[in-house]
Amino acid sequence: MPTAPAPGPRPSPQGISAEFVARVPKLLEAVRSVGSGLELHSTLVRICETAADLAGARYAAIGVLAEDGDKLADFVHHGVEEGTARRIGHPPDGHRGLLGALIRDPEPVRLEDLTADVRACGFPAYHPPMRGFLGVPIRVRGEVFGNLYLTDKRGGEPFTDDDLAMVRVLAAEAGIAIGNARLYEAAQQRERWIDGSVAVTTALLSGDDGEDALHVIAEQARRLSGAAAGIVLLPADGGGLEIAAVASEGPTEALGTVLPPRRGAVAELLEGRAVFVEDAATDPRLDTGLARGYGPAMLLPLRSGDRVLGGLVTPRARGQRPFSRTERALAVRFAAQAALALMMAEAQRDRERLAVYEDRDRIARDLHDLVVQRLFATGMLLEHAQRRSAVPEVREGIGRAVGELDVTIQEIRSAVFALRQPAEEEPGLRGRVLREIATAAVPLGFTPSCRFAGPVDSAVGDLTGKNLVAALREALSNAFRHARASRIDVVVDATVTLPGGRPGVRLTVADDGVGIPEGGRRSGLANLRRRAERLGGSSRHGPGIGADGGGTALVWEAPY
């Protein structure tokens, strides 16, 4: 008669313990949980939580290897409170200790007391005590992505062979989930960079203000790269690169700063080579005070063919992770697309400028050959009539008319001369302001009055002058389209003192029109305010010069 089996769990086939078999449903649930998302960071957090629950560990972490494979680029943990993690400080980098040993030799490790292992290097201050240790590599498509660490099994027991077997199964599934999440994240990242390139191309080719388009490049580069700032550099007149646009969360005084060509990174950019640095604050190629507050940085040439149009800089804050290979490749393509868009926008502006010059030349010829000749002939007829008239009042009136015709002829000849001025002869700020007013007089139907105060041409810098002229153009355009004014007064005052004691220039454009309607569009005023604030100035509006304060007075001011 056969002997009855002893009570208790039956041994499983192929040497698998009954305890392992009993925990298989929990393992399957853990595998299902690990593969339930596509966002990479949340996937790593979920793996930590699931592994800790599966093995009964208090603490779990995943150390993500850097691209060079000899250190940790990211460290996701579970079980340590956020306050404790902040007190501990910088996460481990994997250069030494037990974590470093697992990087160099990615094989499973199980220890009853990790503090007694010769590879251990101790814990930093505020770190909770840990003894039991289980480490398993996570492989994604055959390559080691990182390591999964578990410490301190609840109840104080050491990790068992079953724990190791289950965590290895979980790590294999985690590798698949991480691979899927990385593919999804890469696709999302590429889509964002493509959308950013489209936004830049649209801004450059839409005919908007060139400086606003450069700001779009800087802002898109900052947003897409996760950088602390986006900086666009353009060639400076005296050599080197000038900071032409900056996009950052806080105010900056870097606009207009010229980086000399002798500095290593600038020289490489001018030669069309991309520069990637781990720490901008300490890299000798960035020997400038502007780099002291930044860490990893990409310096990319805006290059189209053999021509370098400038540079694009995207620095991250100190302590943040370096840019990955994928991020670098996408940023290089973005810079190339931005350079191509700059070239196309420049060609478009050249065509428009040529059309304007041709039109100006035609107008000048017509004024000289037709209008002036007819006015001159009319003046001669009036002079003949004046000599033949016997009535003193008539002769006096005709004389005044002839004098007005002479003045008109001189003004037209001055206009002809101005129209035929070579484009290379750039006038001073006064001349550019007068030119804008003369241009606006045609659609307005009258010429706005203009008054200058202080050393406008000598004191106001080129960057502020360009923005002031653009603000004047915007203000006159708004007056023509919306104000229905019959009088506009323009004042450019270079004697003002701005808040903080800074010398500055103030532009005032006042009209007697209908004023700003309630609920009307404010895009023009927002553009003026943004333009002033980029320079450290301000823009505001108030009552105009019409009866009882009718109309609008725009005040735009900025430091020299």
Side-chain angles (χ1 to χ4, degrees):
M1 182 175 180
T3 305
R10 294 173 177 265
S12 299
Q14 301 179 355
I16 300 177
S17 70
E19 180 184 353
F20 185 93
V21 173
R23 294 167 66 182
V24 165
K26 190 173 184 179
L27 174 61
L28 294 176
E29 177 61 23
V31 167
R32 186 202 63 79
S33 173
V34 164
S36 62
L38 287 175
E39 199 274 325
L40 181 57
H41 182 77
S42 62
T43 298
L44 297 179
V45 172
R46 192 164 52 251
I47 293 170
C48 287
E49 294 173 349
T50 304
D53 180 62
L54 183 65
R58 286 192 177 90
Y59 308 106
I62 293 178
V64 180
L65 293 184
E67 290 183 342
D68 55 15
D70 63 353
K71 60 184 176 182
L72 297 180
D74 196 8
F75 192 80
V76 180
H77 60 84
H78 166 74
V80 177
E81 296 181 355
E82 289 301 320
T84 302
R86 284 194 296 271
R87 287 193 296 272
I88 293 173
H90 198 279
D93 54 19
H95 281 144
R96 59 197 184 96
L98 188 57
L99 302 190
L102 286 174
I103 292 175
R104 292 185 292 273
D105 184 18
E107 294 294 333
V109 174
R110 180 163 57 92
L111 302 172
E112 291 189 14
D113 186 358
L114 64 90
T115 61
D117 193 276
V118 294
R119 296 167 290 183
C121 60
F123 296 121
Y126 306 108
H127 196 288
M130 298 177 180
R131 298 184 66 83
F133 178 84
L134 186 60
V136 177
I138 298 177
R139 289 180 168 85
V140 177
R141 294 180 176 84
E143 295 184 359
V144 177
F145 170 83
N147 290 294
L148 171 62
Y149 316 112
L150 299 171
T151 58
D152 274 16
K153 190 175 175 69
R154 297 184 186 278
E157 302 91 353
F159 290 106
T160 65
D161 290 338
D162 290 338
D163 293 327
L164 176 59
M166 287 199 163
V167 172
R168 292 183 71 172
V169 173
L170 183 65
E173 180 61 29
I176 298 173
I178 291 170
N180 293 335
R182 291 172 78 180
L183 288 173
Y184 176 77
E185 188 174 85
Q188 293 290 100
Q189 197 174 37
R190 282 193 296 272
E191 182 178 351
R192 289 193 298 269
W193 281 94
I194 291 172
D195 290 343
S197 297
V198 171
V200 166
T201 304
T202 302
L204 286 170
L205 299 182
S206 63
D208 292 342
D209 182 80
E211 183 183 341
D212 290 338
L214 293 178
H215 186 76
V216 171
I217 295 177
E219 177 59 33
Q220 290 290 340
R222 182 192 72 85
R223 181 182 65 84
L224 293 169
S225 64
I231 304 169
V232 176
L233 307 173
L234 295 181
D237 293 336
L241 294 172
E242 178 182 354
I243 297 179
V246 178
S248 62
E249 294 182 356
T252 178
E253 298 179 357
L255 271 177
T257 302
V258 176
L259 307 179
R262 64 179 180 273
R263 292 200 173 114
V266 176
E268 291 187 54
L269 280 181
L270 289 172
E271 292 174 1
R273 296 198 300 271
V275 179
F276 304 102
V277 299
E278 295 290 326
D279 188 359
T282 58
D283 196 293
R285 295 172 293 179
L286 298 176
D287 183 19
T288 171
L290 299 175
R292 290 174 186 162
Y294 297 116
M298 295 188 291
L299 294 86
L300 311 169
L302 294 173
R303 179 175 180 175
S304 181
D306 295 331
R307 183 180 174 189
V308 177
L309 305 175
L312 179 62
V313 183
T314 56
R316 281 178 173 163
R318 298 205 70 182
Q320 290 194 348
R321 64 176 179 83
F323 293 97
S324 66
R325 277 195 297 264
T326 301
E327 289 172 324
R328 294 180 181 185
L330 290 171
V332 168
R333 294 173 191 166
F334 174 85
Q337 179 66 29
L340 179 60
L342 280 172
M343 289 281 289
M344 295 172 63
E346 183 178 331
Q348 177 176 291
R349 287 193 299 271
D350 287 343
R351 289 193 297 270
E352 294 172 352
R353 193 178 297 116
L354 179 60
V356 170
Y357 291 155
E358 291 175 347
D359 201 36
R360 286 173 56 177
D361 191 58
R362 179 188 58 78
I363 293 171
R365 285 197 310 270
D366 290 346
L367 286 173
H368 183 269
D369 298 341
L370 300 176
V371 178
V372 171
Q373 296 301 325
R374 289 179 180 178
L375 289 174
F376 188 73
T378 303
M380 292 181 65
L381 290 173
L382 289 173
E383 287 179 341
H384 180 68
Q386 182 185 35
R387 288 194 297 269
R388 297 186 62 181
S389 176
V391 181
E393 291 82 359
V394 174
R395 296 208 326 250
E396 182 181 351
I398 292 176
R400 287 198 300 270
V402 170
E404 289 295 329
L405 284 175
D406 287 340
V407 172
T408 302
I409 290 172
Q410 293 300 320
E411 290 178 346
I412 292 176
R413 283 176 171 168
S414 298
V416 170
F417 176 78
L419 285 169
R420 287 179 170 173
Q421 280 291 305
E424 294 80 14
E425 295 183 7
E426 182 66 27
L429 181 56
R430 288 175 184 263
R432 284 180 284 164
V433 168
L434 292 173
R435 187 169 62 189
E436 289 296 329
I437 291 174
T439 302
V442 176
L444 286 169
F446 63 91
T447 301
S449 67
C450 184
R451 182 169 61 86
F452 296 94
V456 173
D457 283 332
S458 60
V460 181
D462 185 56
L463 180 63
T464 301
K466 288 179 181 177
N467 282 273
L468 185 144
V469 171
L472 172 62
R473 185 184 307 126
E474 180 83 24
L476 292 174
S477 175
N478 289 340
F480 165 67
R481 288 181 294 174
H482 309 299
R484 299 198 294 275
S486 60
R487 176 187 167 196
I488 297 177
D489 293 343
V490 177
V491 179
V492 180
D493 187 355
T495 65
V496 301
T497 301
L498 301 180
R502 299 172 298 169
V505 60
R506 177 179 296 147
L507 167 69
T508 305
V509 181
D511 64 61
D512 63 349
V514 298
I516 301 176
E518 291 293 333
R521 293 182 62 188
R522 298 292 193 272
S523 58
L525 296 174
N527 289 339
L528 292 168
R529 184 177 63 254
R530 185 169 63 249
R531 187 182 295 280
E533 289 175 350
R534 287 179 194 163
L535 299 172
S538 62
S539 178
R540 59 188 181 275
H541 63 276
I545 55 176
D548 300 324
T552 304
L554 171 74
V555 179
W556 186 95
E557 57 189 19
Y560 292 157

